[in-house]
Amino acid sequence: MGKEQLAKSLKEILGLRWSPVAVKLMKPGEEIPKGLMEPPMPLRYCQSIIAARRGNCLYMPPRKHACPDGSGILGMVEMSEKLRSGALYLLFKKLPNIECAQKMIASRPEFETGSHTATVLAPLEKATFVPDVVIFTLWPEQAMWLCCAKTYSSGERQNFITSGYNSSCADLTVQVIKSGEMNISFGCYGGRASSEIDDFELYVSIPYGQLQDVTDALQKLSVKSIPEERNKIYMPPIMDNVGIPGVQEDGSVEILIDTDRCIGCELCAAFCPGSVLEMVEIDGKKKSSVIAIENCSSCYTCVGQCPQKAIQLKHRTKVG
């Protein structure tokens, strides 16, 4: 699948507001990809990601990087002693003492000075180069599905390394390139103070080489899991009574099955974690039936999975 089709699929499945951003760190001697422009003024690296998600294709040599901390972390320029020492973090009152500042700096991922000559960025669908990473601007729910997609084939849980400092350069770019693993960032002081990223947005960065597998997994998840979650299929009506003074359950639940609507698909019995339901024959047809109501935990899985809306849970309540 090409970059344009990958971007299209990702936007449709996740419901993205912004294009995923393709990022490549240029090494000495590499040719500049076609179709890029230098921004008219220097930008912070985090600002260039915002510009690229809006459709801009950028070539940014060191002179176009406004943040010397970021360009140093990305291995394009020598970092000044003032930045390297951590003293500025104390002036900004972002850390309490020089020891904390130096510990944070020592642990953050960086590239060796001179290892890169420029950053190039573009919306994934417009990228004329092979990216190192692809950076997503997401809502938490969309980020959750990217994590699920990454886990889909391997079963492995995801581990993230982030700090709220140097988010775009260190956490989203250097960390992901060096580790070869997806990473998450909530942004940082500079990134949020200098760009239009919304308070409810966060970032996820994925190695480009893994993007096809992640997209394939998302396509499979979009058949059932994603639409079910977004349709809130397990939201119980009893939620209407939560927090209402005087309304209490008497501890019992009744499962009501409309056998006329039931088509015998067996989804309710298959998905029930407590083996409360099983299929029985009624008038020569398979129908769902309650066999162990005492095992029901009111998880509403049967209600949500029934395609015919043939199942209801009734909680007995009392007022007083």
Side-chain angles (χ1 to χ4, degrees):
M1 194 182 296
K3 291 189 284 292
E4 187 173 353
Q5 185 57 47
L6 281 171
K8 183 175 184 291
S9 296
L10 289 163
K11 286 181 179 180
E12 290 177 352
I13 295 170
L14 292 173
L16 299 180
R17 178 185 180 189
W18 304 108
S19 290
V21 175
V23 176
K24 176 179 174 60
L25 302 189
M26 299 290 295
K27 296 178 180 177
E30 287 188 315
E31 292 186 8
I32 301 172
K34 297 179 180 179
L36 305 177
M37 59 166 281
E38 290 191 23
M41 63 188 71
L43 298 174
R44 292 170 178 259
Y45 178 60
C46 46
Q47 291 172 325
S48 69
I49 294 172
I50 298 295
R53 78 179 191 178
R54 283 186 165 276
N56 295 285
C57 302
L58 303 175
Y59 168 69
M60 295 186 56
R63 66 178 179 277
K64 291 298 183 178
H65 276 261
C67 176
D69 208 10
S71 55
I73 289 170
L74 294 169
M76 291 189 292
V77 299
E78 184 75 37
M79 191 174 293
S80 71
E81 180 57 31
K82 195 171 187 179
L83 286 170
R84 178 64 65 192
S85 70
L88 279 179
Y89 288 95
L90 273 62
L91 289 176
F92 281 113
K93 299 190 182 300
K94 292 194 286 184
L95 289 168
N97 54 58
I98 197 66
E99 290 77 20
C100 284
Q102 290 175 347
K103 184 176 182 179
M104 186 276 293
I105 290 170
S107 65
R108 76 185 174 196
E110 299 180 9
F111 281 119
E112 183 179 350
T113 302
S115 58
H116 298 109
T117 59
T119 56
V120 294
L121 308 92
L124 179 61
E125 64 271 20
K126 293 183 179 180
T128 59
F129 52 89
V130 177
D132 294 314
V133 300
V134 177
I135 298 175
F136 294 77
T137 308
L138 302 169
W139 298 328
E141 185 263 1
Q142 295 166 330
M144 178 198 77
W145 284 116
L146 270 186
C147 289
C148 290
K150 188 68 170 59
T151 299
Y152 187 85
S153 297
S154 67
E156 295 177 354
R157 301 182 73 84
Q158 305 307 308
N159 297 305
F160 302 123
I161 298 176
T162 190
S163 71
Y165 296 91
N166 313 117
S167 68
S168 299
C169 47
D171 294 344
L172 295 175
T173 308
V174 181
Q175 175 65 29
V176 177
I177 293 174
K178 283 192 169 187
S179 70
E181 295 296 337
M182 178 171 71
N183 203 25
I184 196 168
S185 173
F186 306 103
C188 63
Y189 168 85
R192 287 193 174 274
S194 66
S195 73
E196 63 184 13
I197 182 172
D198 286 322
D199 292 346
F200 52 82
E201 291 178 327
L202 53 79
Y203 295 111
V204 171
S205 181
I206 298 178
Y208 177 68
Q210 298 176 10
L211 198 60
Q212 180 67 67
D213 289 343
V214 168
T215 304
D216 290 345
L218 281 171
Q219 288 176 330
K220 293 170 183 174
L221 290 166
S222 70
V223 173
K224 180 176 174 65
S225 298
I226 294 176
E228 286 184 346
E229 175 266 319
R230 290 179 172 175
N231 287 328
K232 307 293 185 186
I233 65 168
Y234 302 138
M235 180 71 79
I238 194 67
M239 290 293 289
D240 294 338
N241 291 329
V242 173
I244 299 177
V247 176
Q248 298 179 355
E249 287 188 40
D250 69 3
S252 61
V253 61
E254 183 179 3
I255 301 176
L256 306 177
I257 300 174
D258 186 337
T259 55
D260 290 332
R261 296 179 66 90
C262 177
I263 59 174
C265 67
E266 303 188 29
L267 288 175
C268 57
F271 277 89
C272 177
S275 300
V276 175
L277 305 171
E278 73 172 18
M279 307 308 294
V280 299
E281 189 170 307
I282 300 177
D283 297 331
K285 296 180 180 179
K286 287 195 301 183
K287 300 288 182 179
S288 179
S289 179
V290 179
I291 61 165
I293 189 64
E294 67 276 8
N295 293 340
C296 181
S297 65
S298 301
C299 67
Y300 277 78
T301 300
C302 58
V303 176
Q305 290 298 328
C306 179
Q308 297 298 106
K309 305 301 180 187
I311 304 176
Q312 297 181 49
L313 264 64
K314 183 178 180 181
H315 292 259
R316 295 188 177 90
T317 59
K318 59 183 179 181
V319 178

